[in-house]
Amino acid sequence: MRFTWKKGAILSAVSILAGSVILGNVLQDTHADAVPTTINGVQDAVYETADQVLHASDQGTFSVGGMLMDTDGNVVYVQHNNVVNNDLTFDPTAHGERQMIDWYYENKESQNLPEPENIVLVTSLDPCAMCTGSILQAGFSNVVVSANDTYAGINYDKSALFPSLAGTSMQAAAQDSFSYPAVLGLTEKFSRKATGAPVSSVFGENVAIEDQTYALTSTAFDATLSDVSAKINTDLPENELLDPKTLATTDPIYLALKAAYPHALEYTAPSPNAPDEGLAPYLIEAAEQDIANGGDGNAVALLDTFGNLIMALPGNQAVSEIQTPFMLTTRGYAKLRYDLQMNGVADATKYLGHPKYNTFIYAKGMEINPQGLADFGAFGSTMEGAIPTDRTQFQYGVPRATQAELDAFADGLPPFYSADDSVNVHIKQTANQDLIAALEAGLPTTSK
């Protein structure tokens, strides 16, 4: 399906979205199947992402959409944000760009997709840190961006210089591939000069966005941001959570935990947020599987607010280079909660609280590279907003970058990730020296 709006119809859509009229959960699929065959010009491309923006709004999730196209102008795939479905958090990492890149990796061989240098990604909103890292890992030739995002977008200062990536090769890569086309309009709010890299030659001479199409992509996201955020931030406060270790072994929550991760609840830290060497065997086992799955021998464990081990998972980078252990752990926990709620298990969120009360522990620390950037961003998306400041929710065992390097990188991320009153994505080495020693001695040394 392709919208054939006149300009007045576009303005009507903007008006509806700006009034925060979020339509019901009509769409249950994850993307629109019908797409145009070819794209002619930047306006045409952004116009098509606006279709996905409205699908996202219809679903009741954040109004962001995008597409992949080849350098012949053919549409390869379209997708929209799927963080929320059925008024529940479905997957905090299900931003349009991250999903499209996973889809690209998963289908590249079977569908004989073009090489990354022959792919253009078009998005209705400036990519967040998670999506930027995913895009840079993929190495697409051009990223065409419509609306600005001055809070979480990688171009939050609108300079197209990407100071958050300063001192890394990622900065030059973003400067060479991220395009912010001119918006043709007479208003200050809905017009701009072109910045960033030149848009791909596939667009010919049609390299600008019409102001009314731009207004839809911008206003739609703004309209859904507060409503959707309020809808999904309804978890119980920490002091009302219940310990899943008290569940009967026949309880559906207990059974779901064991189905998701057979070792769930086998380990409990001596105090919440402070794992000891007893966690090491679970991380080591997962790290060994990570190598078999195409990774470099890393793993991430998730402890709940009581210190219970909920899961310790490897990545699956043989399937997709951005399926890191952290990505699969946070997605796995979200799926666990979502499935239980959709199955009518009323007490699910009493025993499985918001991830901001949990602790994520890497076997090996993050690296300052595209996958590390994506993980920093995914942590922010998982937390969704301000987090408790009396603990370290983000930890690692064996370092791969210095603490000073990690701190400086986190400090330079867009405001959503670095502001004191927001997520503040700093990752710290675990304080338990016995856990560090056990990981150093036991983690596999073979890597890809």
Side-chain angles (χ1 to χ4, degrees):
M1 175 179 64
R2 178 178 176 183
F3 286 94
T4 55
W5 297 325
K6 301 295 185 182
K7 285 192 174 182
I10 293 178
L11 284 181
S12 296
V14 171
S15 176
I16 291 171
L17 288 161
S20 298
V21 178
I22 309 302
L23 303 178
N25 295 325
V26 176
L27 299 180
Q28 298 300 321
D29 58 348
T30 58
H31 75 284
D33 292 322
V35 296
T37 302
T38 58
I39 292 294
N40 298 300
V42 167
Q43 162 60 23
D44 199 10
V46 174
Y47 188 85
E48 294 303 336
T49 69
D51 184 349
Q52 292 302 306
V53 164
L54 295 186
H55 278 279
S57 179
D58 206 25
Q59 185 173 307
T61 190
F62 299 104
S63 292
V64 183
M67 68 178 179
L68 300 179
M69 52 185 288
D70 65 24
T71 47
D72 292 323
N74 301 306
V75 173
V76 175
Y77 188 63
V78 295
Q79 184 58 277
H80 59 69
N81 183 288
N82 278 290
V83 168
V84 175
N85 200 3
N86 296 300
D87 292 334
L88 299 171
T89 298
F90 171 69
D91 176 355
T93 75
H95 296 194
E97 301 95 323
R98 195 282 295 160
Q99 295 174 94
M100 289 192 291
I101 293 164
D102 261 331
W103 178 90
Y104 173 79
Y105 280 128
E106 291 167 2
N107 292 276
K108 184 176 183 297
E109 291 187 11
S110 64
Q111 298 195 26
N112 195 27
L113 298 175
E115 294 301 315
E117 58 269 23
N118 294 316
I119 291 285
V120 175
L121 184 150
V122 184
T123 178
S124 68
L125 185 71
D126 191 33
C128 68
M130 173 183 66
C131 293
T132 298
S134 300
I135 291 166
L136 294 175
Q137 181 66 33
F140 295 147
S141 64
N142 189 210
V143 181
V144 177
V145 180
S146 183
N148 298 312
D149 182 353
T150 58
Y151 192 43
I154 197 64
N155 188 31
Y156 69 95
D157 66 351
K158 302 183 184 180
S159 70
L161 297 176
F162 310 105
S164 293
L165 308 179
T168 73
S169 60
M170 293 185 287
Q171 184 177 35
Q175 290 174 351
D176 289 343
S177 59
F178 279 54
S179 304
Y180 300 83
V183 178
L184 304 179
L186 300 177
T187 63
E188 182 177 353
K189 183 174 183 180
F190 296 123
S191 61
R192 74 179 180 208
K193 296 180 179 179
T195 55
V199 298
S200 171
S201 60
V202 68
F203 297 112
E205 296 181 358
N206 302 316
V207 295
I209 306 171
E210 293 179 9
D211 57 349
Q212 294 190 1
T213 304
Y214 173 85
L216 175 57
T217 61
S218 176
T219 309
F221 174 70
D222 291 342
T224 55
L225 184 59
S226 59
D227 288 333
V228 177
S229 296
K231 181 165 53 180
I232 61 178
N233 279 294
T234 57
D235 276 274
L236 293 171
E238 188 174 22
N239 61 2
E240 294 182 21
L241 296 177
L242 302 177
D243 189 343
K245 289 194 77 171
T246 64
L247 290 166
T249 57
T250 56
D251 189 281
I253 300 173
Y254 180 90
L255 294 173
L257 278 165
K258 286 295 189 178
Y261 178 63
H263 297 310
L265 307 180
E266 287 183 7
Y267 166 82
T268 301
S271 61
N273 198 236
D276 64 5
E277 67 275 16
L279 181 61
Y282 302 97
L283 283 168
I284 291 168
E285 179 182 0
E288 291 170 346
Q289 183 61 47
D290 185 65
I291 289 177
N293 292 356
D296 63 358
N298 204 358
V300 170
L302 174 61
L303 305 183
D304 70 9
T305 189
F306 301 97
N308 299 315
L309 175 64
I310 301 299
M311 55 185 64
L313 300 181
N316 197 4
Q317 290 172 263
V319 171
S320 169
E321 290 183 23
I322 60 171
Q323 288 188 12
T324 64
F326 180 80
M327 286 284 193
L328 295 193
T329 300
T330 189
R331 289 164 65 181
Y333 185 66
K335 184 178 188 303
L336 179 65
R337 284 171 29 109
Y338 179 84
D339 287 349
L340 283 166
Q341 291 176 88
M342 287 298 295
N343 288 332
V345 180
D347 290 341
T349 56
K350 289 183 180 180
Y351 290 92
L352 301 172
H354 192 285
K356 67 185 176 183
Y357 302 127
N358 297 343
T359 306
F360 294 88
I361 306 101
Y362 284 74
K364 298 177 182 178
M366 295 168 67
E367 296 180 285
I368 300 174
N369 59 15
Q371 291 167 329
L373 173 62
D375 275 10
F376 266 119
F379 178 79
S381 296
T382 297
M383 297 297 106
E384 299 174 323
I387 59 178
T389 58
D390 61 346
R391 70 200 74 182
T392 301
Q393 293 93 339
F394 212 19
Q395 300 181 22
Y396 64 90
V398 179
R400 293 196 290 185
T402 70
Q403 189 65 59
E405 289 170 335
L406 293 169
D407 289 343
F409 189 70
D411 286 339
L413 291 172
F416 173 72
Y417 309 98
S418 56
D420 290 339
D421 60 350
S422 187
V423 178
N424 205 333
V425 298
H426 287 82
I427 186 168
K428 300 291 185 182
Q429 189 172 29
T430 181
N432 190 285
Q433 296 301 310
D434 290 335
L435 173 56
I436 297 170
L439 291 172
E440 288 176 336
L443 283 172
T445 57
T446 303
S447 62
K448 63 178 179 180

